[in-house]
Amino acid sequence: MRHVHGWSASTKRKLKSDNASAAQREPHSCTSMADHKDNIDDFKVQTAKHPNMGPAPLRPHSEQSRDRASKRLSTESNGTSEGGSSTPVEVTALEESFRRFAIHGDTRATGKEMHGKNWSKLCKDCGVIDGKNVTLTDVDIVFSKVKKKSSRTIVFDEFKVALGELARKKYKEKPGEEAEAEVFKLIEGKGPIIAGVTRAVASPTVSRLTDTTKFTGSHKERFDDTGRGKGKAGRVDIVDTSGYVSGYKHQGSYEKKVTKPTVGKPM
């Protein structure tokens, strides 16, 4: 009986502690149920206002990241931001020619800025410099005029301003817009001319080293009198297997004497 009474007392203490904890959780549970009810009421109101609105299906994280990457690439290719504030940029033939000359001779160039050296090459290769109305000095002066004071390059907008200055000097008899259009036509679709850049420069030293008539020793045997190489015969001793001794000058004459034309005898 004493054991049963002890067990009953411990059970009573446990039940009492459970009731106390339940009483502490009751306000929180009531609050959470009230919040849940309010959320349901709000959802019903939104559903009544927008009958077609439904829960959006959850998509895998990989598909979402792929969509963001494709959207970024499309906006970069069209020249627009993600907000769609700017208009698509179309690269004109004049801008493409500017980019070709801007990256000429510089592997680190981005094509957005042009140095004075490439600017002079563009005016020369495209025929803007004629030696009369537009000279190389005029080109350098215009470049220094349109560029920023602390900069050594020009951008595309400054490039067009510089072409406008040269157009008015080159076509004095035409209005400003027509003159600019004529200069633009000279440049559109053009690229830097690189013909003859790797041409070898003749020098006395190189000519002396390549003159085969002055070669001596075994090197002399590799070329004939005209300076043309003999090939393998000039590099390797070829063994004569004809059967004649060296220095014999009548090689092949015996066959000519023995071989006689056959004449038909009368029957």
Side-chain angles (χ1 to χ4, degrees):
M1 292 297 293
R2 187 178 301 173
H3 176 71
V4 174
H5 178 73
W7 179 83
S8 300
S10 63
T11 304
K12 289 180 180 180
R13 286 195 297 269
K14 184 177 181 181
L15 292 175
K16 186 176 180 181
S17 62
D18 292 341
N19 293 332
S21 60
Q24 292 176 358
R25 290 196 304 268
E26 184 176 0
H28 298 287
S29 62
C30 294
T31 304
S32 61
M33 292 179 63
D35 294 340
H36 183 66
K37 185 177 179 181
D38 293 339
N39 292 334
I40 293 176
D41 294 338
D42 293 339
F43 179 75
K44 289 181 179 179
V45 173
Q46 294 294 333
T47 306
K49 292 181 179 180
H50 306 283
N52 296 328
M53 183 181 68
L58 296 177
R59 303 178 62 190
H61 180 70
S62 60
E63 293 185 5
Q64 295 177 4
S65 60
R66 191 183 306 115
D67 292 343
R68 287 195 297 267
S70 61
K71 183 178 180 181
R72 179 176 57 81
L73 292 175
S74 62
T75 54
E76 288 179 358
S77 61
N78 293 332
T80 59
S81 61
E82 293 187 359
S85 58
S86 59
T87 57
V89 178
E90 182 180 357
V91 178
T92 60
L94 182 64
E95 189 172 358
E96 179 63 22
S97 298
F98 172 83
R99 188 191 66 83
R100 291 176 184 175
F101 279 94
I103 63 176
H104 176 69
D106 188 359
T107 56
R108 297 177 297 177
T110 60
K112 298 180 180 180
E113 297 177 346
M114 180 181 292
H115 291 276
K117 182 179 179 181
N118 291 348
W119 158 253
S120 300
K121 180 174 178 58
L122 181 145
C123 295
K124 182 180 179 180
D125 293 351
C126 296
V128 179
I129 298 176
D130 54 10
K132 295 182 179 179
N133 297 329
V134 178
T135 61
L136 184 60
T137 304
D138 297 328
V139 170
D140 294 337
I141 292 174
V142 170
F143 181 84
S144 301
K145 180 179 179 181
V146 299
K147 75 178 183 66
K148 295 181 177 63
K149 180 178 290 187
S150 61
S151 177
R152 301 176 61 184
T153 59
I154 59 174
V155 296
F156 182 67
D157 293 337
E158 296 170 342
F159 169 74
K160 291 193 295 185
V161 174
L163 290 181
E165 294 284 342
L166 296 179
R168 286 187 286 274
K169 293 178 66 67
K170 186 176 181 65
Y171 303 102
K172 298 179 180 180
E173 69 281 357
K174 295 183 179 181
E177 295 182 357
E178 293 184 6
E180 290 182 5
E182 291 294 332
V183 173
F184 290 170
K185 289 179 182 179
L186 295 175
I187 301 173
E188 290 176 351
K190 300 291 183 61
I193 299 176
I194 58 175
V197 174
T198 58
R199 182 173 52 189
V201 179
S203 65
T205 305
V206 175
S207 300
R208 180 175 59 84
L209 295 176
T210 55
D211 189 0
T212 58
T213 59
K214 297 181 181 180
F215 288 178
T216 59
S218 61
H219 301 289
K220 183 178 182 180
E221 302 298 329
R222 298 179 61 180
F223 300 91
D224 57 13
D225 296 336
T226 61
R228 186 175 181 179
K230 295 181 180 179
K232 186 178 181 180
R235 302 191 303 271
V236 181
D237 292 334
I238 300 176
V239 180
D240 186 6
T241 59
S242 63
Y244 293 94
V245 297
S246 59
Y248 183 70
K249 300 180 180 180
H250 302 287
Q251 182 179 354
S253 60
Y254 176 76
E255 287 77 3
K256 293 180 181 180
K257 293 179 180 180
V258 174
T259 305
K260 297 180 178 180
T262 57
V263 180
K265 298 180 181 180
M267 297 298 293

PDB file of all heavy atoms in Angstrom, residues 10 60 72 95 137 161:
ATOM      1  N   SER A  10       3.482  10.465  -7.036  1.00  0.00           N
ATOM      2  CA  SER A  10       4.311  10.901  -8.167  1.00  0.00           C
ATOM      3  C   SER A  10       3.471  11.144  -9.405  1.00  0.00           C
ATOM      4  O   SER A  10       3.718  12.072 -10.188  1.00  0.00           O
ATOM      5  CB  SER A  10       5.388   9.846  -8.450  1.00  0.00           C
ATOM      6  OG  SER A  10       4.781   8.628  -8.832  1.00  0.00           O
ATOM      7  N   PRO A  60      12.066  24.197 -59.456  1.00  0.00           N
ATOM      8  CA  PRO A  60      13.393  23.867 -58.914  1.00  0.00           C
ATOM      9  C   PRO A  60      14.331  25.067 -58.983  1.00  0.00           C
ATOM     10  O   PRO A  60      14.202  25.946 -59.840  1.00  0.00           O
ATOM     11  CB  PRO A  60      13.875  22.726 -59.823  1.00  0.00           C
ATOM     12  CG  PRO A  60      12.630  22.168 -60.422  1.00  0.00           C
ATOM     13  CD  PRO A  60      11.670  23.309 -60.537  1.00  0.00           C
ATOM     14  N   ARG A  72      19.484  37.687 -68.384  1.00  0.00           N
ATOM     15  CA  ARG A  72      20.611  38.620 -68.370  1.00  0.00           C
ATOM     16  C   ARG A  72      21.323  38.662 -69.713  1.00  0.00           C
ATOM     17  O   ARG A  72      21.681  39.720 -70.228  1.00  0.00           O
ATOM     18  CB  ARG A  72      21.599  38.208 -67.278  1.00  0.00           C
ATOM     19  CG  ARG A  72      22.817  39.087 -67.187  1.00  0.00           C
ATOM     20  CD  ARG A  72      23.686  38.671 -66.014  1.00  0.00           C
ATOM     21  NE  ARG A  72      24.069  37.270 -66.117  1.00  0.00           N
ATOM     22  CZ  ARG A  72      25.065  36.832 -66.877  1.00  0.00           C
ATOM     23  NH1 ARG A  72      25.775  37.673 -67.597  1.00  0.00           N
ATOM     24  NH2 ARG A  72      25.366  35.543 -66.924  1.00  0.00           N
ATOM     25  N   GLU A  95      29.994  52.324 -86.646  1.00  0.00           N
ATOM     26  CA  GLU A  95      30.476  51.919 -85.329  1.00  0.00           C
ATOM     27  C   GLU A  95      31.304  50.641 -85.409  1.00  0.00           C
ATOM     28  O   GLU A  95      32.267  50.465 -84.661  1.00  0.00           O
ATOM     29  CB  GLU A  95      29.298  51.729 -84.388  1.00  0.00           C
ATOM     30  CG  GLU A  95      29.693  51.528 -82.938  1.00  0.00           C
ATOM     31  CD  GLU A  95      28.505  51.541 -82.010  1.00  0.00           C
ATOM     32  OE1 GLU A  95      27.366  51.739 -82.496  1.00  0.00           O
ATOM     33  OE2 GLU A  95      28.697  51.360 -80.793  1.00  0.00           O
ATOM     34  N   THR A 137      48.471  66.505 -90.573  1.00  0.00           N
ATOM     35  CA  THR A 137      48.499  67.504 -89.499  1.00  0.00           C
ATOM     36  C   THR A 137      47.092  67.904 -89.083  1.00  0.00           C
ATOM     37  O   THR A 137      46.804  68.061 -87.882  1.00  0.00           O
ATOM     38  CB  THR A 137      49.276  68.743 -89.963  1.00  0.00           C
ATOM     39  OG1 THR A 137      50.590  68.351 -90.384  1.00  0.00           O
ATOM     40  CG2 THR A 137      49.378  69.768 -88.851  1.00  0.00           C
ATOM     41  N   VAL A 161      32.218  63.456 -83.943  1.00  0.00           N
ATOM     42  CA  VAL A 161      32.464  64.905 -83.957  1.00  0.00           C
ATOM     43  C   VAL A 161      33.728  65.217 -84.742  1.00  0.00           C
ATOM     44  O   VAL A 161      33.776  66.177 -85.529  1.00  0.00           O
ATOM     45  CB  VAL A 161      32.565  65.434 -82.508  1.00  0.00           C
ATOM     46  CG1 VAL A 161      32.957  66.903 -82.505  1.00  0.00           C
ATOM     47  CG2 VAL A 161      31.241  65.242 -81.782  1.00  0.00           C
TER      48      VAL A 161
END
